[in-house]
Amino acid sequence: MVHSDWDDWLVREIDTADPDGVAIWYLGCNGFALTDGATTLFIDPYLGTGDPPRTVRMIPVPFAPSDVRAADAILATHEHTDHVHGPSQAPILEATDATFYGPADSIAVAREEEAWTDEWDVAADQLAELAVEDTVELGEFTVTVETAHDPDATQPVSYVVDHPAGTFFHGGDTKPDASLEAVGERHDIDLGALAFGSTGLLPDKHTGELAEKRWYCDENEIVEAAGQLRIDRLVPTHWDMWKGLTADPTALSHHARSYDDPADLEIVEIGDRIEL
């Protein structure tokens, strides 16, 4: 059972939003909620506390998933627990009949490792597998599955979310890669989210020995990836989440200032709303 530090004010704000275009909330970690007032999407919402002392959550749990009343889809970018997490996501499926979309390895976590259809009131057809180049129509949103470069994941993808109001890109935990250049050529990305963080020493999952981890882009990598994708407005994510791997996103202004892309750097904190 997930306990929220913030009661339900954030999900009520999302539920009742009636934006002129698309409103987007940053949920901390790498999570987002998007709505145009008729259709609501969640991407990588994670409400867990990690696996202390290895991974220690540094930000509030912004809502309880059972409080969500409006959701049409949850999209997972890859199989890691802070992107596919039954206690965070299955109660949303229970309460809303939304569909959970993700690559095959992400769906395998939900179906097999965490047994969502046994542990929660989730129907088998609420778990839908996607692959690169697939598209999903959700109201006025068109979601295209694109490539991602995340060596720590077994089957990472990114999502391009098109709407008449604009285009949002969610890169999961991607790092820069030549394959992203084609994504930037195919799509005119107005607002893009890329994972940013520091390198740190964390206890190894199996041995407990300290090991160096760099799961996300550093200052130069995130700007390089934004340039490959031709992102107009860059939103850094993940920098707030794990003790020992946090970072200062305001430092990115120094790294990005001489490049055409990203044109703008938008720093948001957990619970902040931005417009597409």
Side-chain angles (χ1 to χ4, degrees):
M1 179 72 71
V2 171
H3 171 75
S4 170
D5 298 318
W6 284 358
D7 198 23
D8 68 348
W9 69 265
L10 181 58
V11 286
R12 295 290 78 82
E13 182 178 303
I14 297 169
D15 287 348
T16 59
D18 187 22
D20 291 334
V22 175
I24 302 174
W25 286 264
Y26 178 49
L27 306 178
C29 194
N30 217 347
F32 286 88
L34 298 79
T35 188
D36 61 1
T39 304
T40 300
L41 316 179
F42 287 85
I43 305 177
D44 283 350
Y46 176 67
L47 305 166
T49 55
D51 183 25
R54 181 172 183 265
T55 49
V56 179
R57 187 182 183 104
M58 295 292 288
I59 51 176
V61 177
F63 61 89
S66 57
D67 286 334
V68 175
R69 294 290 176 265
D72 296 278
I74 301 173
L75 301 160
T77 58
H78 60 286
E79 75 286 350
H80 291 168
T81 192
D82 54 341
H83 300 261
V84 181
H85 185 242
S88 297
Q89 297 157 358
I92 299 176
L93 303 185
E94 280 189 327
T96 65
D97 292 328
T99 300
F100 178 85
Y101 295 96
D105 286 1
S106 297
I107 298 300
V109 170
R111 286 193 189 278
E112 299 164 20
E113 292 182 28
E114 296 189 349
W116 291 11
T117 57
D118 296 329
E119 298 296 324
W120 292 272
D121 186 16
V122 173
D125 62 2
Q126 285 182 272
L127 306 176
E129 184 179 318
L130 293 175
V132 172
E133 298 186 0
D134 285 350
T135 61
V136 181
E137 302 290 338
L138 299 161
E140 289 199 86
F141 292 99
T142 299
V143 179
T144 302
V145 186
E146 289 286 4
T147 189
H149 175 63
D150 178 6
D152 295 304
T154 60
Q155 201 173 43
V157 299
S158 60
Y159 293 109
V160 177
V161 183
D162 286 306
H163 187 275
T167 299
F168 174 68
F169 173 85
H170 192 300
D173 292 350
T174 194
K175 293 183 174 69
D177 188 72
S179 63
L180 299 183
E181 295 177 359
V183 179
E185 292 171 358
R186 285 192 291 270
H187 304 277
D188 183 8
I189 300 170
D190 299 297
L191 180 67
L194 293 173
F196 167 58
S198 63
T199 300
L201 294 176
L202 297 180
D204 183 83
K205 185 183 297 186
H206 303 292
T207 68
E209 297 294 323
L210 289 177
E212 186 177 57
K213 300 294 181 185
R214 188 175 70 179
W215 286 330
Y216 317 116
C217 293
D218 66 17
E219 294 90 343
N220 294 315
E221 289 172 326
I222 192 172
V223 172
E224 181 182 359
Q228 291 172 333
L229 292 159
R230 305 181 186 181
I231 291 174
D232 292 334
R233 299 159 58 198
L234 171 64
V235 175
T237 64
H238 241 317
W239 56 270
D240 52 3
M241 187 61 178
W242 301 125
K243 184 175 180 62
L245 297 180
T246 56
D248 178 6
T250 63
L252 295 177
S253 61
H254 301 289
H255 296 264
R257 64 176 44 171
S258 65
Y259 293 94
D260 291 334
D261 300 309
D264 293 299
L265 176 66
E266 299 199 14
I267 307 300
V268 293
E269 297 178 333
I270 182 172
D272 285 352
R273 171 176 168 168
I274 49 181
E275 307 296 322
L276 184 59

